[in-house]
Amino acid sequence: VSDSGGSLTVHTFGAYFGLMVSRVLHQPHTDKRKEQRDGGQQQELFAMVGTISLWIFWPSFTSATTVGHNAEPWAVLNTYFSLAASTLATFVLSPVLSEESTPQMVQIQDATLAGAAVMGMAGEMLVTPFGALIAGLLAGLIPPLGFRFLSPTLCSRLKTQDTCGVHNIHGLPGILGSLLGTLVAALATADAYGGR
């Protein structure tokens, strides 16, 4: 398995390991407490700085460990296309699912992480810009839908407290990225990849 960006080994494994630890450490009295995601102006400022840092540094993270030297530009381009599409998807979907008319900066950061996580395994492959845009769009839909519908189910039925949405931001996009990497690897030919 070539997983230079860590879709399978970092995001998926880390998310589900953390969720399992959360389930084991579950405390019943915390279910009655209302979880609060809005931390005010200062938290949004930190989220914005974090999002800018992710946009700048994440493509180099996915391309630094690529197998072939000619795969680095593909990894950078695919990651940027995926980041753009996932952020756009959240800008469109987030206001529809929430009472507010504008998306919060934390939601944009979540979409950025999801878009980067989906390109972890397939980033260095010939996904094409269109494929990276589609993968990023799908990854960008996961965090808003997951926070709205899936996180309450995880808390109520599985007694797993996922207050930061690790399942929506890393787990599901990591699985999607692993499936995309597997599909692209299965369709790969030696001619397309120059014999590697």
Side-chain angles (χ1 to χ4, degrees):
V1 171
S2 176
D3 191 15
S4 62
S7 281
L8 182 63
T9 56
V10 175
H11 295 285
T12 307
F13 173 76
Y16 289 108
F17 179 80
L19 288 172
M20 190 54 64
V21 170
S22 173
R23 173 63 182 109
V24 169
L25 298 177
H26 173 72
Q27 298 174 355
H29 65 278
T30 57
D31 285 343
K32 297 173 186 168
R33 183 185 65 187
K34 175 104 175 147
E35 294 174 2
Q36 185 176 10
R37 276 188 61 80
D38 187 21
Q41 189 83 13
Q42 186 176 10
Q43 187 176 10
E44 287 189 11
L45 179 67
F46 283 132
M48 182 184 66
V49 171
T51 303
I52 292 170
S53 298
L54 288 172
W55 271 86
I56 293 170
F57 295 115
W58 203 289
S60 64
F61 171 70
T62 56
S63 67
T65 58
T66 55
V67 175
H69 65 280
N70 59 350
E72 290 176 11
W74 281 108
V76 170
L77 285 174
N78 287 335
T79 304
Y80 270 128
F81 284 132
S82 180
L83 286 169
S86 64
T87 305
L88 181 66
T90 298
F91 268 110
V92 171
L93 185 62
S94 183
V96 173
L97 293 176
S98 67
E99 299 85 27
E100 301 158 359
S101 61
T102 59
Q104 297 175 345
M105 184 53 68
V106 174
Q107 294 171 340
I108 303 304
Q109 186 178 25
D110 294 347
T112 303
L113 284 165
V118 79
M119 272 299 123
M121 185 181 279
E124 66 180 303
M125 299 179 190
L126 301 176
V127 178
T128 72
F130 182 73
L133 286 170
I134 295 298
L137 181 73
L138 292 174
L141 297 175
I142 293 172
L145 288 171
F147 275 114
R148 174 72 183 207
F149 301 110
L150 192 57
S151 292
T153 304
L154 281 174
C155 186
S156 65
R157 297 192 184 233
L158 298 178
K159 306 298 182 211
T160 302
Q161 307 217 339
D162 188 12
T163 56
C164 290
V166 171
H167 187 246
N168 307 324
I169 300 166
H170 297 282
L172 292 176
I175 290 174
L176 182 63
S178 300
L179 292 174
L180 176 65
T182 303
L183 175 69
V184 174
L187 297 175
T189 62
D191 293 337
Y193 287 91
R196 68 175 173 95

